[in-house]
Amino acid sequence: MSNLAGTPAAMATGSNTQNGAAASPTANRRPRLSGLNWLVWRQHRAGFWTVLALTAVCVAWLVYQRSVLMDQLLAQGWPHSSPDTWLKGEHPQRFQLVGFGLGFIPVVLGVFLGAPLLAGDLENGTAKLVASQSVSPSRWLATKLGISGLVVVVCTGALSVAFGRWWGPVKYTSTALDWSDGAAFDNTGPVPVALALFTVVGGVAIGMLLRRTLMSMVVTFAFAVAVQVVWHFQRLNLGHVLTVTTRQGISSDAFPRTPQAALEIDHWYISGSGRTYGWGTCAHEVSEKACVQKFDLVGWKVDYLPISQMSSMQWFGASILFALTAAVTVFIFVRGRKRIV
């Protein structure tokens, strides 16, 4: 493989020598892939270029949408006017649809980039050729994973920044995306990068074990969906729930105030002894006054997550996913060194 990887460079050198023309300093300074890096890129260039091109188009569209949004917000007196008047037309629905679409990116990358990465080589015999060359299996795996991981990080990171800048001016409003919803939480900060990396590396491991491309893609799809489902149900557990209480009665005017854009987890009635009752306790009572007297209700208790915890929750969750990705990567190298063909 090392001989094949070095062929273009050797041919270029021989041609220049025969023609008697020395390479210019500018040409020598031009960055070029060579050796194993060039070979891996060329082998998977169709997938890499497709992902990069689609990312460039999506980022350009998100930048345009931000400019349209800012024009609309400034026309409504942003940021000094009432937030309820900021978003009109199709923008709230557009946020939801785009966020929902971006949520499929880790699944798509895992199925079409991660699963075939090693499964294709093991199925068509390329891995045997690698084992017969001077390149070690560890270096081959490192190059494969390194270039693929770099493409994934660049693309998902760019989309995260672009979507975050589009949604950022209205993240505190009730008419835009809820910050705890997957459409916002999973598409900003480090979360999309971590989810995509874990799904892709998981797909690579599945492909290495199954050694069949199509079967690996199907199993990786199931794995990616399972990751999304587990992440969905565990997302709110990444934060530290705060509590606010009042003892000024149970009327709507006495309900506790939470910080702007805070996510209300649950709320209860509080009795004079400090005991809590579900918010539906008075639903079957004769009157609210009778319910207050019966249970000695004096106020409310509300559990909530403030939007100020969003960044820390994202980094905490991403660190877990990065650790899992590292563990799967170690498994790939350990198994790959022992049994690559």
Side-chain angles (χ1 to χ4, degrees), residues 1 4 39 121 125-135 341:
M1 177 168 290
L4 293 175
L39 189 62
D121 292 343
T126 305
K128 294 182 179 180
L129 178 61
V130 172
S132 66
Q133 301 298 312
S134 59
V135 176
V341 295

Side-chain angles (χ1 to χ4, degrees), residues 131-217:
S132 66
Q133 301 298 312
S134 59
V135 176
S136 66
S138 295
R139 184 184 170 195
W140 179 63
L141 290 172
T143 305
K144 284 251 185 181
L145 292 175
I147 295 179
S148 302
L150 180 61
V151 171
V152 170
V153 170
V154 169
C155 293
T156 54
L159 290 171
S160 172
V161 172
F163 184 81
R165 283 182 54 80
W166 178 31
W167 174 63
V170 293
K171 66 188 298 183
Y172 287 93
T173 66
S174 58
T175 52
L177 289 177
D178 188 340
W179 67 269
S180 62
D181 186 69
F185 192 93
D186 297 349
N187 293 315
T188 57
V191 174
V193 179
L195 278 172
L197 273 179
F198 180 54
T199 306
V200 169
V201 173
V204 174
I206 291 171
M208 184 179 66
L209 294 174
L210 298 182
R211 308 167 74 87
R212 294 292 183 271
T213 302
L214 183 58
M215 185 184 301
S216 299
M217 294 174 71

Side-chain angles (χ1 to χ4, degrees), residues 5 22 24 44 62 77-78 87 128 150 154 188 233 250 261-262 293 297:
S24 64
H44 302 284
L62 290 172
W78 178 88
L87 291 180
K128 294 182 179 180
L150 180 61
V154 169
T188 57
F233 285 105
I250 63 171
Q293 294 177 347
L297 303 181

Side-chain angles (χ1 to χ4, degrees), residues 62 65-66 69 91 94-95 98 162-169:
L62 290 172
Q65 289 301 317
R66 173 181 164 80
L69 175 64
H91 247 107
R94 195 172 301 166
F95 276 122
V98 174
F163 184 81
R165 283 182 54 80
W166 178 31
W167 174 63

